Amino acid sequence: MNKNRPIHLDLRLIKLPLPGFVSILHRVSGLLLFLTLPLFLKMLQYSLFSIETYTQLAATLRYPLSKLILISLLWAFLHHLCAGIRYLAIDMHIGVGLAQARASSKWVLFVSWGLTLLIGAWLW
């Protein structure tokens, strides 16, 4: 038995590298998208069922809180998409070096936030 194991591991003191942070955000965004899938399907049903339900949905989506929720879900989609493309490239052994992994993590964050700001400002 290895006697040099840590007795107490304080997770708040561990500094996570940027690729690890992007990986956790990828998982969180995927979970968020999965959990809100029924909401999106209900919105699709309301938009296609009748003109009354469409106007009710459109009126609901005009509130600032509902716009913020949709913009956060837009970020989840864009981050999950960009990080997924990054992981596909890594699976093909593209950008597996330490410097390349850090750079691609920065690009994932930059592109997902940038596109969220651009599309969110257009939707607002």
Side-chain angles (χ1 to χ4, degrees), residues 103-120:
S104 65
S105 296
K106 289 177 186 176
W107 275 105
V108 164
L109 292 175
F110 176 74
V111 169
S112 65
W113 278 106
L115 286 175
T116 301
L117 289 174
L118 284 175
I119 298 171

Side-chain angles (χ1 to χ4, degrees), residues 21-92:
F21 184 66
V22 169
S23 175
I24 289 174
L25 286 178
H26 180 71
R27 293 173 188 207
V28 168
S29 65
L31 180 66
L32 186 64
L33 290 173
F34 176 74
L35 292 176
T36 57
L37 189 60
L39 173 69
F40 283 124
L41 292 175
K42 195 60 142 174
M43 288 170 51
L44 179 65
Q45 179 185 3
Y46 279 177
S47 69
L48 297 175
F49 187 67
S50 69
I51 190 68
E52 291 85 16
T53 57
Y54 174 78
T55 54
Q56 183 183 18
L57 176 66
T60 303
L61 293 179
R62 285 192 188 106
Y63 291 114
L65 181 63
S66 61
K67 288 182 181 182
L68 285 175
I69 291 170
L70 286 179
I71 289 173
S72 66
L73 292 174
L74 174 68
W75 168 82
F77 172 74
L78 291 171
H79 179 80
H80 200 75
L81 175 71
C82 294
I85 292 170
R86 176 181 178 265
Y87 292 129
L88 284 174
I90 289 173
D91 286 343
M92 293 186 297

